[in-house]
Amino acid sequence: MPKHNQAIPRNHFRKHWNPESSQKGHIKTFFQQALQKKARRVKRQQKASLVFPRPAGGSLRPVVQSCTQRYNMKSRAGRGFTLAELKAVGLCAKYARTIGVSVDHRRRNHSEESLSANTLRLKNYLSKLVLYPLQGKKKATKGPVAEATGDVLKTVTQDKASTPFPEGLKKEVAVEAPRDVTKEEKTRHIYNYLRAQNRNEKFIGIRLARIKRKTEKKDDTNVKGKKK
């Protein structure tokens, strides 16, 4: 029995499984998972058929790095291409939106790597792009991509990926092939080895600067010695 003036515990272990009863319980079941999976697949197929021949995943998006120091080593799909990336390929923002390229006028390129990677991504997209003629015999806006002919339109296949060109979004990690452990690795003290590697990586800039100063000082002394 509990001490003092406390409520008497009333433990009842009967679960109210029936959600339609007067005493609805907190037991949640997920027996509809298979049906929901099928419904999602059917919905994706319907969406792809409605937007045919456009990509089912929507507009082309750039490769950007995730935010904050914790996730910035991971790549993901961004909001849109910068104006500098579009200019490198010869596109303007207004025309790019009409051919399935997303544009973000607020984003800026802070490195040559991102600019070159997304420029290459745009070039690959434009090389594979099949531009349909407008309905009603309307004249399309002039741009670097020409309209496709009737023979090409008959052999068009739709890109059904969740994101167009997903191969550039994730970095391919090189996996080392299996091998035998060497004698040096068997006798190595792993903690000391990792500490040494971390120190070498941390102080590499300081050490290179020190070596550079020593070589410059040595060269100056040699020049002064020759003048004498």
Side-chain angles (χ1 to χ4, degrees), residues 189-209:
H189 295 283
I190 300 300
Y191 178 77
N192 297 337
Y193 174 75
L194 292 177
R195 289 277 294 175
Q197 293 296 323
N198 289 335
R199 284 196 300 272
N200 293 339
E201 186 176 352
K202 182 177 181 180
F203 298 112
I204 185 171
I206 297 173
R207 290 172 180 173
L208 290 175

Side-chain angles (χ1 to χ4, degrees), residues 16-72:
H16 302 296
W17 289 88
N18 188 5
E20 296 177 359
S21 65
S22 59
Q23 296 177 336
K24 293 183 179 180
H26 299 286
I27 307 302
K28 292 186 179 181
T29 57
F30 300 93
F31 300 131
Q32 76 281 21
Q33 281 185 340
L35 288 175
Q36 284 183 341
K37 183 179 180 181
K38 182 181 178 182
R40 288 194 298 268
R41 185 177 72 249
V42 171
K43 198 170 183 179
R44 285 196 300 269
Q45 292 171 353
Q46 291 175 351
K47 180 184 175 182
S49 62
L50 286 173
V51 300
F52 182 86
R54 295 188 293 273
S59 301
L60 181 71
R61 298 191 178 278
V63 179
V64 298
Q65 300 304 122
S66 300
C67 296
T68 70
Q69 189 176 4
R70 183 175 182 179
Y71 300 106
N72 62 4

Side-chain angles (χ1 to χ4, degrees), residues 77-160:
R79 182 182 180 89
F81 291 89
T82 62
L83 301 179
E85 292 165 354
L86 296 174
K87 187 177 180 181
V89 188
L91 294 176
C92 65
K94 188 176 181 181
Y95 178 75
R97 290 188 177 97
T98 63
I99 60 172
V101 178
S102 56
V103 181
D104 186 7
H105 66 278
R106 295 169 297 184
R107 190 167 70 86
R108 299 288 183 268
N109 293 106
H110 297 287
S111 65
E112 288 292 332
E113 288 80 3
S114 67
L115 179 63
S116 59
N118 287 318
T119 302
L120 182 63
R121 187 173 172 81
L122 279 170
K123 288 180 179 178
N124 292 338
Y125 175 77
L126 294 176
S127 64
K128 298 179 181 179
L129 179 64
V130 178
L131 198 61
Y132 271 60
L134 296 176
Q135 295 180 353
K137 297 182 180 179
K138 295 180 182 179
K139 290 186 178 180
T141 307
K142 291 184 179 180
V145 184
E147 292 183 354
T149 58
D151 298 333
V152 179
L153 299 179
K154 293 178 182 179
T155 59
V156 170
T157 57
Q158 187 183 25
D159 184 9
K160 294 185 179 181

Side-chain angles (χ1 to χ4, degrees), residues 175-191:
V175 180
E176 185 180 357
R179 58 177 177 81
D180 295 332
V181 181
T182 61
K183 186 177 180 181
E184 181 186 356
E185 290 173 344
K186 288 180 180 179
T187 58
R188 179 184 292 165
H189 295 283
I190 300 300
Y191 178 77

Side-chain angles (χ1 to χ4, degrees), residues 209 211-222:
I211 293 170
K212 186 178 179 181
R213 286 197 302 271
K214 285 184 178 180
T215 53
E216 289 176 354
K217 189 175 181 180
K218 189 176 180 181
D219 294 338
D220 292 340
T221 53
N222 292 336

